[in-house]
Amino acid sequence: MSGRRALTRLTAVLALLLGLLALPGAARAEVEHPRQDFLRGSVSGLFLHWGERTYPQHTDCAQWESDVTKGGWTPEYWVREAQKLHAQYLVLATFHSRLGYARAWPSKIPGSCSTKRDFLGELITAARAKGLQVILYMTDDPQWHDQGGHEWLDSAAYSRYKGRDIDLTEREGFGEYSYDNFLEVMDRYPRLGGFWIDNDNDYWLDHGLYERVREERPEYTLSNNNEDTPIMDMISNEQKTGMSPAYDYPQAVYTAAPRLIEADFKLPSKGAWWYDGSDPAVDRALTLGRLVTNAGSSIKALMAETAQVGGRFPAKQEAFNDFADRYLDKIWPSLNGTEGGGYLHGGLQPGQWNDGAYGVTTVSRTDPDQHYLHVLTPPAGG
């Protein structure tokens, strides 16, 4: 069964499930909610993996912060590069299990690197000035606590802070530590767009973390990676490959509309999610094909680029962004303000067409008679 036929059938199944969820005592999935309007109206986002283990690795938090500032980091640069990609939101991943659990913001909670300079706050302000949102990545996972031969988590300091022994290298202890960080971030950053959750921790679930987010910051969105958790607003589908054609990302997406769906993938398709000292090329046809096919299924494209210590992207990624800016300007009305065609929103169905052609369609949200045809693989003949 093709991915799109699966999406169509899953939509019918989901409609049935939503009816069941209305029964007394059943869990409620907030599939559609006004707080999601910004994300539903977006085409794409920029994913930023950046932290202490960004090449060259730093093991001293203060030295990393100093080198970031000396390297010329500015939030405006990331916002400009996101605008070149025509993205509407940025996801900042510094509190990441493979990047030293760095918090690029001031914190009163000891346990891992926390900067004195408020990089997160500066980014939120710069992004909102241009109409973009910032979403903060949070990890559930302590298993990489000693990666690279250095212990990144300070259980002793956190234990003193809490007044009892807590092991941050175990899931329960790390769950409590990260839970405290969620609460501190919510208190400090009312203009944050929400959280991007890299899977769940039982401590969060047992202590009602997501319910607290809903209560204290009802405007925040919640996104989850590779796990369709009912309370989440958006489900992300990470780095799917193996489709034919390779750019047709929606074939591998396992959630269905009206769920808010995201596809997250690396722009340099080779190498790490973060800067590892290399500068691999960006496959322009693959990347733009993914962006367009996702739009053709109303899926948000979260595109990952590898910021260096000072914030700048490697030269080949900057060159792609410059190219994408010019390219997307020409076709932007066919992506922005549209929905994927062929199913919920009518229009021609995507996929294989005549004579070897392959593509997707989009439909204007304001004019249902305005349809766009995106031919990504041209027909073999004339």
Side-chain angles (χ1 to χ4, degrees):
M1 182 187 297
S2 73
R4 287 199 175 80
R5 289 199 298 273
L7 281 174
T8 306
R9 295 187 182 183
L10 283 171
T11 299
V13 174
L14 184 57
L16 176 61
L17 288 174
L18 291 177
L20 292 175
L21 289 172
L23 295 174
R28 290 185 56 207
E30 294 184 293
V31 175
E32 295 184 277
H33 192 280
R35 69 173 165 270
Q36 303 166 358
D37 288 349
F38 181 85
L39 284 174
R40 288 192 179 274
S42 298
V43 175
S44 62
L46 174 59
F47 209 178
L48 296 159
H49 291 73
W50 176 76
E52 271 195 284
R53 297 200 71 240
T54 296
Y55 179 86
Q57 172 179 298
H58 288 69
T59 55
D60 181 272
C61 186
Q63 187 62 56
W64 174 62
E65 177 179 351
S66 174
D67 287 348
V68 169
T69 298
K70 289 177 181 177
W73 186 91
T74 66
E76 289 80 12
Y77 171 80
W78 281 351
V79 172
R80 285 195 302 270
E81 296 302 301
Q83 289 178 307
K84 290 178 184 178
L85 294 170
H86 290 53
Q88 291 77 43
Y89 61 99
L90 303 94
V91 178
L92 180 62
T94 66
F95 190 66
H96 188 287
S97 59
R98 304 290 297 279
L99 288 169
Y101 303 91
R103 295 167 294 167
W105 60 89
S107 175
K108 296 180 179 178
I109 305 167
S112 67
C113 172
S114 172
T115 59
K116 292 182 170 59
R117 182 177 176 182
D118 192 355
F119 297 101
L120 173 59
E122 290 182 41
L123 183 60
I124 293 170
T125 298
R128 289 181 66 93
K130 298 297 183 180
L132 280 66
Q133 290 270 21
V134 174
I135 296 171
L136 185 62
Y137 173 107
M138 299 291 275
T139 185
D140 71 310
D141 185 7
Q143 70 170 309
W144 304 102
H145 63 92
D146 59 354
Q147 190 176 31
H150 176 74
E151 178 55 64
W152 302 99
L153 298 174
D154 190 344
S155 297
Y158 184 65
S159 296
R160 288 192 296 271
Y161 171 77
K162 298 291 284 190
R164 67 184 194 282
D165 288 339
I166 300 174
D167 186 354
L168 297 186
T169 70
E170 298 293 334
R171 288 194 62 80
E172 183 174 359
F174 185 81
E176 182 173 355
Y177 171 63
S178 49
Y179 186 100
D180 287 349
N181 276 275
F182 274 101
L183 301 187
E184 185 182 56
V185 166
M186 283 195 291
D187 182 62
R188 186 181 179 97
Y189 301 105
R191 303 206 307 169
L192 184 70
F195 292 116
W196 200 98
I197 312 295
D198 202 352
N199 299 311
D200 279 323
N201 185 294
D202 285 343
Y203 185 93
W204 302 349
L205 303 179
D206 293 343
H207 292 80
L209 172 62
Y210 303 137
E211 289 77 11
R212 286 200 65 169
V213 175
R214 290 282 178 254
E215 179 182 353
E216 297 180 19
R217 294 292 178 207
E219 69 282 8
Y220 277 18
T221 58
L222 291 171
S223 303
N224 204 350
N225 184 27
N226 284 328
E227 183 178 295
D228 195 348
T229 305
I231 200 170
M232 296 292 166
D233 294 294
M234 183 160 68
I235 310 305
S236 198
N237 296 256
E238 179 184 347
Q239 195 62 24
K240 305 304 181 187
T241 58
M243 297 78 76
S244 181
Y247 57 74
D248 192 12
Y249 206 100
Q251 286 189 39
V253 169
Y254 60 87
T255 39
R259 239 343 188 168
L260 184 52
I261 310 165
E262 181 182 72
D264 64 282
F265 53 91
K266 299 183 288 186
L267 265 58
S269 51
K270 296 180 180 178
W273 288 88
W274 48 88
Y275 181 64
D276 60 6
S278 63
D279 185 12
V282 178
D283 185 329
R284 296 181 178 185
L286 175 64
T287 299
L288 292 171
R290 286 171 165 177
L291 178 64
V292 172
T293 55
N294 282 317
S297 288
S298 301
I299 296 170
K300 314 310 165 188
L302 181 58
M303 299 176 283
E305 295 197 325
T306 60
Q308 300 170 89
V309 172
R312 291 189 71 96
F313 298 121
K316 292 175 183 176
Q317 291 171 54
E318 281 193 338
F320 171 79
N321 294 349
D322 291 338
F323 171 79
D325 194 18
R326 298 188 299 270
Y327 182 88
L328 292 173
D329 271 347
K330 295 182 176 68
I331 67 167
W332 193 234
S334 71
L335 299 175
N336 188 43
T338 68
E339 297 287 356
Y343 298 102
L344 285 175
H345 305 282
L348 297 172
Q349 290 189 9
Q352 189 75 48
W353 296 327
N354 293 340
D355 201 16
Y358 200 97
V360 299
T361 67
T362 52
V363 183
S364 168
R365 292 193 190 105
T366 57
D367 181 2
D369 293 326
Q370 181 71 54
H371 296 248
Y372 300 93
L373 187 67
H374 302 264
V375 183
L376 293 154
T377 297

